[in-house]
Amino acid sequence: MDYANRGRPPQKKGKKSAPKGRKPAGKKGGKPVPWGMLIIACVVVAGFVWFLATISGKSEQPTVTTEQALPVPAEQPQAQPESTLPDKPDERWQYIEELENHEVQVDVPEREIGPPKLMQCGSFRQLDDANTLKARIAMAGLESQVRESNGSNGRWYRVILGPYETKRDAERDRHKLQRVQVFNCQIWNWNL
C-alpha cells in the first residue's frame, strides 16, 4: 500500500476541533513578555557601550609638554667620549681559595645495632604449604628456611628469612617479596 499517496480520511461534519497538541488559532495564549527583564538587559548593554566609549577616547588625548617652563643653560660643556674602558678592578674575594682548601668535618653518630631481625612470611600446619611458600620466595631470589615449632596449640611450620643486622635490610627484602605477590611478611626481633 502506498502511504504517501493515500488520501486523508474524511472529517466528520459538524463540530470542528483543533488537532491535538495545537492551540486554537483565534486565541493568543502566549507567555507575557517580561518587560522588567527586557529593560534591565537594555540598561546593562547601554552601560557596557558607554564604558567602552569612555576608555577608547582616553588613549587619543595628546600629552601635555612643558618645554617652555624649563630653563635652558647658556653653555653646555661637551663631553668627550672615552674610547677606552677603565681597568678591571682586582678581586677582593678570598672565599674561592678558602673553599678549595677547606675540609668540612661532620660528626655522624654510629647507629646502634640491636638484636638480629628475622622476617616471618608464613606459618602453616602442613609442611607442603610451607615448602610451597619457600619455593615462591626462592623465585624472588631470596633464601628462606622452614622451621618447625611445637606449641600449646600443636605443630606449626614457620617460613622465615634472615637473620638481618638492620631493619633496613629486612625491609628491602620485604619489598622484593611484595613485587612477586608475597605479602604479610613481618619483621621481628628474634634470637636464633
Side-chain angles (χ1 to χ4, degrees), residues 30-47:
K31 294 182 181 178
V33 177
W35 290 106
M37 294 297 284
L38 187 62
I39 291 172
I40 291 173
C42 290
V43 169
V44 168
V45 169

Side-chain angles (χ1 to χ4, degrees), residues 133-149:
L133 181 60
K134 181 180 177 181
R136 286 181 59 199
I137 293 172
M139 294 299 287
L142 300 172
E143 185 178 345
S144 62
Q145 304 167 9
V146 176
R147 293 213 177 150
E148 181 181 343
S149 64

